[in-house]
PDB file of all heavy atoms in Angstrom:
ATOM      1  N   ARG A 430      30.192  13.679  69.453  1.00 53.00           N
ATOM      2  CA  ARG A 430      29.922  14.591  70.559  1.00 53.00           C
ATOM      3  C   ARG A 430      29.698  13.817  71.836  1.00 53.00           C
ATOM      4  O   ARG A 430      28.927  12.865  71.850  1.00 53.00           O
ATOM      5  CB  ARG A 430      28.679  15.421  70.273  1.00 53.00           C
ATOM      6  CG  ARG A 430      28.958  16.689  69.534  1.00 53.00           C
ATOM      7  CD  ARG A 430      27.746  17.597  69.548  1.00 53.00           C
ATOM      8  NE  ARG A 430      26.554  16.892  69.131  1.00 53.00           N
ATOM      9  CZ  ARG A 430      25.901  17.120  68.002  1.00 53.00           C
ATOM     10  NH1 ARG A 430      26.317  18.037  67.190  1.00 53.00           N
ATOM     11  NH2 ARG A 430      24.828  16.450  67.697  1.00 53.00           N
ATOM     12  N   PRO A 431      30.355  14.233  72.922  1.00 60.00           N
ATOM     13  CA  PRO A 431      30.068  13.574  74.191  1.00 60.00           C
ATOM     14  C   PRO A 431      28.668  13.974  74.644  1.00 60.00           C
ATOM     15  O   PRO A 431      28.224  15.098  74.416  1.00 60.00           O
ATOM     16  CB  PRO A 431      31.129  14.131  75.146  1.00 60.00           C
ATOM     17  CG  PRO A 431      31.529  15.426  74.543  1.00 60.00           C
ATOM     18  CD  PRO A 431      31.345  15.277  73.058  1.00 60.00           C
ATOM     19  N   LYS A 432      27.988  13.034  75.278  1.00 66.00           N
ATOM     20  CA  LYS A 432      26.662  13.333  75.782  1.00 66.00           C
ATOM     21  C   LYS A 432      26.811  14.211  77.013  1.00 66.00           C
ATOM     22  O   LYS A 432      27.492  13.851  77.960  1.00 66.00           O
ATOM     23  CB  LYS A 432      25.924  12.049  76.139  1.00 66.00           C
ATOM     24  CG  LYS A 432      24.517  12.299  76.610  1.00 66.00           C
ATOM     25  CD  LYS A 432      23.815  11.011  76.921  1.00 66.00           C
ATOM     26  CE  LYS A 432      22.425  11.330  77.435  1.00 66.00           C
ATOM     27  NZ  LYS A 432      21.753  10.134  77.907  1.00 66.00           N
ATOM     28  N   LEU A 433      26.196  15.367  76.973  1.00 66.00           N
ATOM     29  CA  LEU A 433      26.265  16.278  78.110  1.00 66.00           C
ATOM     30  C   LEU A 433      25.119  15.962  79.046  1.00 66.00           C
ATOM     31  O   LEU A 433      23.964  15.995  78.659  1.00 66.00           O
ATOM     32  CB  LEU A 433      26.179  17.732  77.652  1.00 66.00           C
ATOM     33  CG  LEU A 433      27.334  18.237  76.807  1.00 66.00           C
ATOM     34  CD1 LEU A 433      27.082  19.676  76.385  1.00 66.00           C
ATOM     35  CD2 LEU A 433      28.629  18.158  77.582  1.00 66.00           C
ATOM     36  N   SER A 434      25.468  15.619  80.254  1.00 75.00           N
ATOM     37  CA  SER A 434      24.439  15.424  81.252  1.00 75.00           C
ATOM     38  C   SER A 434      24.648  16.480  82.323  1.00 75.00           C
ATOM     39  O   SER A 434      25.763  16.912  82.581  1.00 75.00           O
ATOM     40  CB  SER A 434      24.534  14.029  81.845  1.00 75.00           C
ATOM     41  OG  SER A 434      25.785  13.837  82.448  1.00 75.00           O
ATOM     42  N   GLY A 435      23.607  16.882  82.914  1.00 78.00           N
ATOM     43  CA  GLY A 435      23.728  17.909  83.927  1.00 78.00           C
ATOM     44  C   GLY A 435      22.967  19.142  83.513  1.00 78.00           C
ATOM     45  O   GLY A 435      22.303  19.184  82.486  1.00 78.00           O
ATOM     46  N   ARG A 436      23.104  20.153  84.322  1.00 86.00           N
ATOM     47  CA  ARG A 436      22.374  21.387  84.089  1.00 86.00           C
ATOM     48  C   ARG A 436      23.268  22.449  83.489  1.00 86.00           C
ATOM     49  O   ARG A 436      24.469  22.441  83.695  1.00 86.00           O
ATOM     50  CB  ARG A 436      21.812  21.893  85.402  1.00 86.00           C
ATOM     51  CG  ARG A 436      20.727  20.992  85.940  1.00 86.00           C
ATOM     52  CD  ARG A 436      20.079  21.630  87.107  1.00 86.00           C
ATOM     53  NE  ARG A 436      20.725  21.094  88.317  1.00 86.00           N
ATOM     54  CZ  ARG A 436      20.451  21.497  89.520  1.00 86.00           C
ATOM     55  NH1 ARG A 436      19.586  22.442  89.735  1.00 86.00           N
ATOM     56  NH2 ARG A 436      21.052  20.960  90.560  1.00 86.00           N
ATOM     57  N   LYS A 437      22.652  23.354  82.787  1.00 90.00           N
ATOM     58  CA  LYS A 437      23.364  24.500  82.250  1.00 90.00           C
ATOM     59  C   LYS A 437      23.739  25.407  83.408  1.00 90.00           C
ATOM     60  O   LYS A 437      22.946  25.637  84.312  1.00 90.00           O
ATOM     61  CB  LYS A 437      22.475  25.252  81.264  1.00 90.00           C
ATOM     62  CG  LYS A 437      23.163  26.398  80.593  1.00 90.00           C
ATOM     63  CD  LYS A 437      22.272  27.024  79.557  1.00 90.00           C
ATOM     64  CE  LYS A 437      22.996  28.178  78.906  1.00 90.00           C
ATOM     65  NZ  LYS A 437      22.196  28.769  77.836  1.00 90.00           N
ATOM     66  N   LYS A 438      24.962  25.903  83.413  1.00 90.00           N
ATOM     67  CA  LYS A 438      25.466  26.752  84.489  1.00 90.00           C
ATOM     68  C   LYS A 438      25.963  28.060  83.920  1.00 90.00           C
ATOM     69  O   LYS A 438      26.470  28.122  82.807  1.00 90.00           O
ATOM     70  CB  LYS A 438      26.643  26.077  85.222  1.00 90.00           C
ATOM     71  CG  LYS A 438      26.333  24.721  85.807  1.00 90.00           C
ATOM     72  CD  LYS A 438      25.451  24.882  87.011  1.00 90.00           C
ATOM     73  CE  LYS A 438      25.173  23.516  87.611  1.00 90.00           C
ATOM     74  NZ  LYS A 438      24.227  23.564  88.678  1.00 90.00           N
ATOM     75  N   THR A 439      25.834  29.087  84.704  1.00 94.00           N
ATOM     76  CA  THR A 439      26.415  30.378  84.362  1.00 94.00           C
ATOM     77  C   THR A 439      27.549  30.622  85.337  1.00 94.00           C
ATOM     78  O   THR A 439      27.343  30.627  86.548  1.00 94.00           O
ATOM     79  CB  THR A 439      25.368  31.501  84.475  1.00 94.00           C
ATOM     80  OG1 THR A 439      24.293  31.205  83.576  1.00 94.00           O
ATOM     81  CG2 THR A 439      25.984  32.845  84.128  1.00 94.00           C
ATOM     82  N   LEU A 440      28.756  30.779  84.816  1.00 94.00           N
ATOM     83  CA  LEU A 440      29.947  30.959  85.644  1.00 94.00           C
ATOM     84  C   LEU A 440      30.695  32.204  85.205  1.00 94.00           C
ATOM     85  O   LEU A 440      30.739  32.523  84.023  1.00 94.00           O
ATOM     86  CB  LEU A 440      30.877  29.747  85.526  1.00 94.00           C
ATOM     87  CG  LEU A 440      30.291  28.387  85.852  1.00 94.00           C
ATOM     88  CD1 LEU A 440      31.264  27.295  85.437  1.00 94.00           C
ATOM     89  CD2 LEU A 440      29.966  28.282  87.317  1.00 94.00           C
ATOM     90  N   ARG A 441      31.327  32.856  86.145  1.00 97.00           N
ATOM     91  CA  ARG A 441      32.217  33.969  85.819  1.00 97.00           C
ATOM     92  C   ARG A 441      33.635  33.413  85.873  1.00 97.00           C
ATOM     93  O   ARG A 441      34.127  33.063  86.939  1.00 97.00           O
ATOM     94  CB  ARG A 441      32.052  35.103  86.820  1.00 97.00           C
ATOM     95  CG  ARG A 441      30.727  35.780  86.722  1.00 97.00           C
ATOM     96  CD  ARG A 441      30.634  36.898  87.734  1.00 97.00           C
ATOM     97  NE  ARG A 441      29.315  37.460  87.742  1.00 97.00           N
ATOM     98  CZ  ARG A 441      28.975  38.587  87.125  1.00 97.00           C
ATOM     99  NH1 ARG A 441      29.876  39.267  86.461  1.00 97.00           N
ATOM    100  NH2 ARG A 441      27.746  39.019  87.185  1.00 97.00           N
ATOM    101  N   LEU A 442      34.255  33.330  84.708  1.00 97.00           N
ATOM    102  CA  LEU A 442      35.584  32.753  84.599  1.00 97.00           C
ATOM    103  C   LEU A 442      36.530  33.760  83.961  1.00 97.00           C
ATOM    104  O   LEU A 442      36.133  34.553  83.108  1.00 97.00           O
ATOM    105  CB  LEU A 442      35.545  31.480  83.747  1.00 97.00           C
ATOM    106  CG  LEU A 442      34.614  30.368  84.233  1.00 97.00           C
ATOM    107  CD1 LEU A 442      34.524  29.277  83.188  1.00 97.00           C
ATOM    108  CD2 LEU A 442      35.102  29.811  85.552  1.00 97.00           C
ATOM    109  N   ASP A 443      37.776  33.691  84.348  1.00 98.00           N
ATOM    110  CA  ASP A 443      38.810  34.523  83.737  1.00 98.00           C
ATOM    111  C   ASP A 443      39.023  34.011  82.314  1.00 98.00           C
ATOM    112  O   ASP A 443      39.430  32.860  82.115  1.00 98.00           O
ATOM    113  CB  ASP A 443      40.092  34.415  84.570  1.00 98.00           C
ATOM    114  CG  ASP A 443      41.214  35.223  83.976  1.00 98.00           C
ATOM    115  OD1 ASP A 443      41.732  34.839  82.903  1.00 98.00           O
ATOM    116  OD2 ASP A 443      41.602  36.221  84.602  1.00 98.00           O
ATOM    117  N   GLN A 444      38.735  34.850  81.333  1.00 97.00           N
ATOM    118  CA  GLN A 444      38.796  34.419  79.936  1.00 97.00           C
ATOM    119  C   GLN A 444      40.204  33.994  79.530  1.00 97.00           C
ATOM    120  O   GLN A 444      40.378  33.012  78.818  1.00 97.00           O
ATOM    121  CB  GLN A 444      38.287  35.518  79.002  1.00 97.00           C
ATOM    122  CG  GLN A 444      38.120  35.060  77.559  1.00 97.00           C
ATOM    123  CD  GLN A 444      37.080  33.961  77.407  1.00 97.00           C
ATOM    124  OE1 GLN A 444      35.969  34.095  77.883  1.00 97.00           O
ATOM    125  NE2 GLN A 444      37.447  32.891  76.727  1.00 97.00           N
ATOM    126  N   GLY A 445      41.215  34.728  79.992  1.00 98.00           N
ATOM    127  CA  GLY A 445      42.589  34.358  79.654  1.00 98.00           C
ATOM    128  C   GLY A 445      42.967  33.004  80.220  1.00 98.00           C
ATOM    129  O   GLY A 445      43.603  32.184  79.540  1.00 98.00           O
ATOM    130  N   LEU A 446      42.556  32.757  81.446  1.00 98.00           N
ATOM    131  CA  LEU A 446      42.826  31.467  82.075  1.00 98.00           C
ATOM    132  C   LEU A 446      42.089  30.347  81.352  1.00 98.00           C
ATOM    133  O   LEU A 446      42.648  29.275  81.098  1.00 98.00           O
ATOM    134  CB  LEU A 446      42.415  31.511  83.552  1.00 98.00           C
ATOM    135  CG  LEU A 446      42.703  30.276  84.390  1.00 98.00           C
ATOM    136  CD1 LEU A 446      44.197  29.974  84.431  1.00 98.00           C
ATOM    137  CD2 LEU A 446      42.167  30.481  85.805  1.00 98.00           C
ATOM    138  N   LEU A 447      40.852  30.598  80.990  1.00 97.00           N
ATOM    139  CA  LEU A 447      40.070  29.601  80.263  1.00 97.00           C
ATOM    140  C   LEU A 447      40.691  29.307  78.898  1.00 97.00           C
ATOM    141  O   LEU A 447      40.798  28.148  78.496  1.00 97.00           O
ATOM    142  CB  LEU A 447      38.629  30.085  80.103  1.00 97.00           C
ATOM    143  CG  LEU A 447      37.641  29.148  79.430  1.00 97.00           C
ATOM    144  CD1 LEU A 447      37.585  27.793  80.124  1.00 97.00           C
ATOM    145  CD2 LEU A 447      36.265  29.794  79.403  1.00 97.00           C
ATOM    146  N   ASP A 448      41.133  30.345  78.199  1.00 98.00           N
ATOM    147  CA  ASP A 448      41.787  30.140  76.895  1.00 98.00           C
ATOM    148  C   ASP A 448      43.072  29.334  77.046  1.00 98.00           C
ATOM    149  O   ASP A 448      43.340  28.422  76.259  1.00 98.00           O
ATOM    150  CB  ASP A 448      42.095  31.487  76.234  1.00 98.00           C
ATOM    151  CG  ASP A 448      40.845  32.226  75.786  1.00 98.00           C
ATOM    152  OD1 ASP A 448      39.775  31.597  75.654  1.00 98.00           O
ATOM    153  OD2 ASP A 448      40.945  33.455  75.585  1.00 98.00           O
ATOM    154  N   SER A 449      43.861  29.645  78.083  1.00 98.00           N
ATOM    155  CA  SER A 449      45.111  28.908  78.329  1.00 98.00           C
ATOM    156  C   SER A 449      44.819  27.454  78.656  1.00 98.00           C
ATOM    157  O   SER A 449      45.501  26.546  78.175  1.00 98.00           O
ATOM    158  CB  SER A 449      45.892  29.551  79.473  1.00 98.00           C
ATOM    159  OG  SER A 449      46.318  30.837  79.112  1.00 98.00           O
ATOM    160  N   ALA A 450      43.806  27.215  79.485  1.00 97.00           N
ATOM    161  CA  ALA A 450      43.436  25.847  79.851  1.00 97.00           C
ATOM    162  C   ALA A 450      42.946  25.084  78.630  1.00 97.00           C
ATOM    163  O   ALA A 450      43.290  23.912  78.437  1.00 97.00           O
ATOM    164  CB  ALA A 450      42.359  25.860  80.934  1.00 97.00           C
ATOM    165  N   ARG A 451      42.153  25.749  77.793  1.00 97.00           N
ATOM    166  CA  ARG A 451      41.640  25.085  76.593  1.00 97.00           C
ATOM    167  C   ARG A 451      42.777  24.637  75.688  1.00 97.00           C
ATOM    168  O   ARG A 451      42.808  23.514  75.199  1.00 97.00           O
ATOM    169  CB  ARG A 451      40.695  26.031  75.834  1.00 97.00           C
ATOM    170  CG  ARG A 451      39.972  25.369  74.671  1.00 97.00           C
ATOM    171  CD  ARG A 451      39.010  26.305  73.971  1.00 97.00           C
ATOM    172  NE  ARG A 451      39.580  27.597  73.627  1.00 97.00           N
ATOM    173  CZ  ARG A 451      40.423  27.805  72.603  1.00 97.00           C
ATOM    174  NH1 ARG A 451      40.803  26.799  71.845  1.00 97.00           N
ATOM    175  NH2 ARG A 451      40.879  29.008  72.363  1.00 97.00           N
ATOM    176  N   ARG A 452      43.759  25.518  75.496  1.00 97.00           N
ATOM    177  CA  ARG A 452      44.914  25.152  74.663  1.00 97.00           C
ATOM    178  C   ARG A 452      45.721  24.031  75.311  1.00 97.00           C
ATOM    179  O   ARG A 452      46.115  23.072  74.645  1.00 97.00           O
ATOM    180  CB  ARG A 452      45.797  26.372  74.415  1.00 97.00           C
ATOM    181  CG  ARG A 452      45.248  27.325  73.376  1.00 97.00           C
ATOM    182  CD  ARG A 452      46.265  28.398  72.991  1.00 97.00           C
ATOM    183  NE  ARG A 452      46.694  29.203  74.134  1.00 97.00           N
ATOM    184  CZ  ARG A 452      46.067  30.288  74.572  1.00 97.00           C
ATOM    185  NH1 ARG A 452      44.967  30.694  73.981  1.00 97.00           N
ATOM    186  NH2 ARG A 452      46.545  30.956  75.594  1.00 97.00           N
ATOM    187  N   ALA A 453      45.995  24.149  76.611  1.00 97.00           N
ATOM    188  CA  ALA A 453      46.807  23.146  77.313  1.00 97.00           C
ATOM    189  C   ALA A 453      46.141  21.772  77.303  1.00 97.00           C
ATOM    190  O   ALA A 453      46.827  20.746  77.225  1.00 97.00           O
ATOM    191  CB  ALA A 453      47.044  23.595  78.756  1.00 97.00           C
ATOM    192  N   LEU A 454      44.829  21.755  77.355  1.00 96.00           N
ATOM    193  CA  LEU A 454      44.098  20.487  77.391  1.00 96.00           C
ATOM    194  C   LEU A 454      43.758  19.960  76.004  1.00 96.00           C
ATOM    195  O   LEU A 454      43.266  18.847  75.856  1.00 96.00           O
ATOM    196  CB  LEU A 454      42.808  20.658  78.205  1.00 96.00           C
ATOM    197  CG  LEU A 454      43.005  20.937  79.687  1.00 96.00           C
ATOM    198  CD1 LEU A 454      41.707  21.454  80.301  1.00 96.00           C
ATOM    199  CD2 LEU A 454      43.486  19.689  80.405  1.00 96.00           C
ATOM    200  N   GLY A 455      43.998  20.785  75.000  1.00 96.00           N
ATOM    201  CA  GLY A 455      43.653  20.375  73.636  1.00 96.00           C
ATOM    202  C   GLY A 455      42.149  20.323  73.414  1.00 96.00           C
ATOM    203  O   GLY A 455      41.671  19.553  72.588  1.00 96.00           O
ATOM    204  N   ALA A 456      41.417  21.131  74.158  1.00 97.00           N
ATOM    205  CA  ALA A 456      39.960  21.134  74.057  1.00 97.00           C
ATOM    206  C   ALA A 456      39.522  22.059  72.932  1.00 97.00           C
ATOM    207  O   ALA A 456      40.098  23.122  72.728  1.00 97.00           O
ATOM    208  CB  ALA A 456      39.352  21.592  75.380  1.00 97.00           C
ATOM    209  N   ARG A 457      38.484  21.656  72.228  1.00 96.00           N
ATOM    210  CA  ARG A 457      37.978  22.477  71.133  1.00 96.00           C
ATOM    211  C   ARG A 457      37.030  23.555  71.615  1.00 96.00           C
ATOM    212  O   ARG A 457      36.910  24.598  70.992  1.00 96.00           O
ATOM    213  CB  ARG A 457      37.285  21.592  70.099  1.00 96.00           C
ATOM    214  CG  ARG A 457      38.246  20.618  69.425  1.00 96.00           C
ATOM    215  CD  ARG A 457      37.566  19.852  68.353  1.00 96.00           C
ATOM    216  NE  ARG A 457      37.366  20.749  67.214  1.00 96.00           N
ATOM    217  CZ  ARG A 457      36.676  20.449  66.148  1.00 96.00           C
ATOM    218  NH1 ARG A 457      36.087  19.293  66.053  1.00 96.00           N
ATOM    219  NH2 ARG A 457      36.547  21.311  65.167  1.00 96.00           N
ATOM    220  N   THR A 458      36.335  23.290  72.712  1.00 96.00           N
ATOM    221  CA  THR A 458      35.365  24.257  73.210  1.00 96.00           C
ATOM    222  C   THR A 458      35.674  24.604  74.661  1.00 96.00           C
ATOM    223  O   THR A 458      36.389  23.875  75.355  1.00 96.00           O
ATOM    224  CB  THR A 458      33.928  23.704  73.140  1.00 96.00           C
ATOM    225  OG1 THR A 458      33.816  22.601  74.050  1.00 96.00           O
ATOM    226  CG2 THR A 458      33.568  23.254  71.728  1.00 96.00           C
ATOM    227  N   GLU A 459      35.096  25.692  75.119  1.00 96.00           N
ATOM    228  CA  GLU A 459      35.279  26.083  76.509  1.00 96.00           C
ATOM    229  C   GLU A 459      34.626  25.072  77.445  1.00 96.00           C
ATOM    230  O   GLU A 459      35.176  24.731  78.486  1.00 96.00           O
ATOM    231  CB  GLU A 459      34.710  27.485  76.730  1.00 96.00           C
ATOM    232  CG  GLU A 459      35.523  28.544  76.013  1.00 96.00           C
ATOM    233  CD  GLU A 459      34.937  29.936  76.132  1.00 96.00           C
ATOM    234  OE1 GLU A 459      33.764  30.076  76.564  1.00 96.00           O
ATOM    235  OE2 GLU A 459      35.671  30.891  75.801  1.00 96.00           O
ATOM    236  N   THR A 460      33.464  24.564  77.059  1.00 94.00           N
ATOM    237  CA  THR A 460      32.779  23.549  77.874  1.00 94.00           C
ATOM    238  C   THR A 460      33.646  22.315  78.003  1.00 94.00           C
ATOM    239  O   THR A 460      33.782  21.741  79.096  1.00 94.00           O
ATOM    240  CB  THR A 460      31.412  23.190  77.251  1.00 94.00           C
ATOM    241  OG1 THR A 460      30.597  24.356  77.235  1.00 94.00           O
ATOM    242  CG2 THR A 460      30.724  22.088  78.034  1.00 94.00           C
ATOM    243  N   ASP A 461      34.253  21.894  76.905  1.00 95.00           N
ATOM    244  CA  ASP A 461      35.129  20.722  76.931  1.00 95.00           C
ATOM    245  C   ASP A 461      36.339  20.982  77.828  1.00 95.00           C
ATOM    246  O   ASP A 461      36.771  20.104  78.573  1.00 95.00           O
ATOM    247  CB  ASP A 461      35.571  20.376  75.510  1.00 95.00           C
ATOM    248  CG  ASP A 461      36.302  19.042  75.426  1.00 95.00           C
ATOM    249  OD1 ASP A 461      35.982  18.123  76.206  1.00 95.00           O
ATOM    250  OD2 ASP A 461      37.199  18.917  74.568  1.00 95.00           O
ATOM    251  N   ALA A 462      36.875  22.190  77.789  1.00 97.00           N
ATOM    252  CA  ALA A 462      38.024  22.531  78.625  1.00 97.00           C
ATOM    253  C   ALA A 462      37.658  22.451  80.104  1.00 97.00           C
ATOM    254  O   ALA A 462      38.402  21.886  80.909  1.00 97.00           O
ATOM    255  CB  ALA A 462      38.530  23.934  78.287  1.00 97.00           C
ATOM    256  N   VAL A 463      36.517  22.998  80.473  1.00 96.00           N
ATOM    257  CA  VAL A 463      36.096  22.957  81.872  1.00 96.00           C
ATOM    258  C   VAL A 463      35.851  21.514  82.296  1.00 96.00           C
ATOM    259  O   VAL A 463      36.273  21.095  83.374  1.00 96.00           O
ATOM    260  CB  VAL A 463      34.837  23.834  82.096  1.00 96.00           C
ATOM    261  CG1 VAL A 463      34.268  23.631  83.485  1.00 96.00           C
ATOM    262  CG2 VAL A 463      35.179  25.301  81.858  1.00 96.00           C
ATOM    263  N   THR A 464      35.191  20.734  81.444  1.00 95.00           N
ATOM    264  CA  THR A 464      34.927  19.325  81.762  1.00 95.00           C
ATOM    265  C   THR A 464      36.227  18.564  81.950  1.00 95.00           C
ATOM    266  O   THR A 464      36.390  17.828  82.929  1.00 95.00           O
ATOM    267  CB  THR A 464      34.083  18.678  80.644  1.00 95.00           C
ATOM    268  OG1 THR A 464      32.843  19.384  80.541  1.00 95.00           O
ATOM    269  CG2 THR A 464      33.813  17.209  80.936  1.00 95.00           C
ATOM    270  N   ARG A 465      37.180  18.741  81.027  1.00 96.00           N
ATOM    271  CA  ARG A 465      38.466  18.034  81.143  1.00 96.00           C
ATOM    272  C   ARG A 465      39.229  18.460  82.395  1.00 96.00           C
ATOM    273  O   ARG A 465      39.850  17.629  83.060  1.00 96.00           O
ATOM    274  CB  ARG A 465      39.320  18.290  79.904  1.00 96.00           C
ATOM    275  CG  ARG A 465      38.813  17.588  78.672  1.00 96.00           C
ATOM    276  CD  ARG A 465      39.749  17.834  77.509  1.00 96.00           C
ATOM    277  NE  ARG A 465      39.203  17.359  76.264  1.00 96.00           N
ATOM    278  CZ  ARG A 465      39.928  17.135  75.180  1.00 96.00           C
ATOM    279  NH1 ARG A 465      41.231  17.352  75.204  1.00 96.00           N
ATOM    280  NH2 ARG A 465      39.359  16.712  74.085  1.00 96.00           N
ATOM    281  N   ALA A 466      39.187  19.733  82.719  1.00 96.00           N
ATOM    282  CA  ALA A 466      39.879  20.216  83.919  1.00 96.00           C
ATOM    283  C   ALA A 466      39.257  19.628  85.177  1.00 96.00           C
ATOM    284  O   ALA A 466      39.976  19.196  86.085  1.00 96.00           O
ATOM    285  CB  ALA A 466      39.839  21.743  83.961  1.00 96.00           C
ATOM    286  N   LEU A 467      37.933  19.572  85.234  1.00 96.00           N
ATOM    287  CA  LEU A 467      37.263  18.978  86.391  1.00 96.00           C
ATOM    288  C   LEU A 467      37.580  17.493  86.497  1.00 96.00           C
ATOM    289  O   LEU A 467      37.819  16.966  87.598  1.00 96.00           O
ATOM    290  CB  LEU A 467      35.751  19.196  86.299  1.00 96.00           C
ATOM    291  CG  LEU A 467      35.282  20.643  86.468  1.00 96.00           C
ATOM    292  CD1 LEU A 467      33.799  20.755  86.154  1.00 96.00           C
ATOM    293  CD2 LEU A 467      35.595  21.150  87.864  1.00 96.00           C
ATOM    294  N   GLU A 468      37.602  16.801  85.365  1.00 96.00           N
ATOM    295  CA  GLU A 468      37.962  15.375  85.368  1.00 96.00           C
ATOM    296  C   GLU A 468      39.383  15.177  85.875  1.00 96.00           C
ATOM    297  O   GLU A 468      39.662  14.229  86.622  1.00 96.00           O
ATOM    298  CB  GLU A 468      37.812  14.782  83.959  1.00 96.00           C
ATOM    299  CG  GLU A 468      36.374  14.631  83.513  1.00 96.00           C
ATOM    300  CD  GLU A 468      36.238  14.284  82.039  1.00 96.00           C
ATOM    301  OE1 GLU A 468      37.211  14.424  81.267  1.00 96.00           O
ATOM    302  OE2 GLU A 468      35.123  13.885  81.656  1.00 96.00           O
TER     303      GLU A 468
END
């Protein structure tokens, strides 16, 4: 598990877009998808 640093955030995200990004990035979780996209 990557060490998560930072604060917990509440975001309103388009679920379909998040699911597509997760698949495209090969991320297992939504948090991982958002982190990879930001990176």
Side-chain angles (χ1 to χ4, degrees):
R430 271 192 310 248
K432 183 179 178 187
L433 295 178
S434 60
R436 292 188 264 176
K437 184 175 180 177
K438 303 287 181 186
T439 300
L440 304 170
R441 292 180 186 260
L442 302 171
D443 179 290
Q444 189 63 51
L446 184 61
L447 183 55
D448 291 342
S449 295
R451 187 178 49 76
R452 283 190 301 273
L454 294 165
R457 296 185 74 187
T458 66
E459 292 176 347
T460 298
D461 189 33
V463 171
T464 300
R465 288 183 189 198
L467 291 172
E468 289 170 345

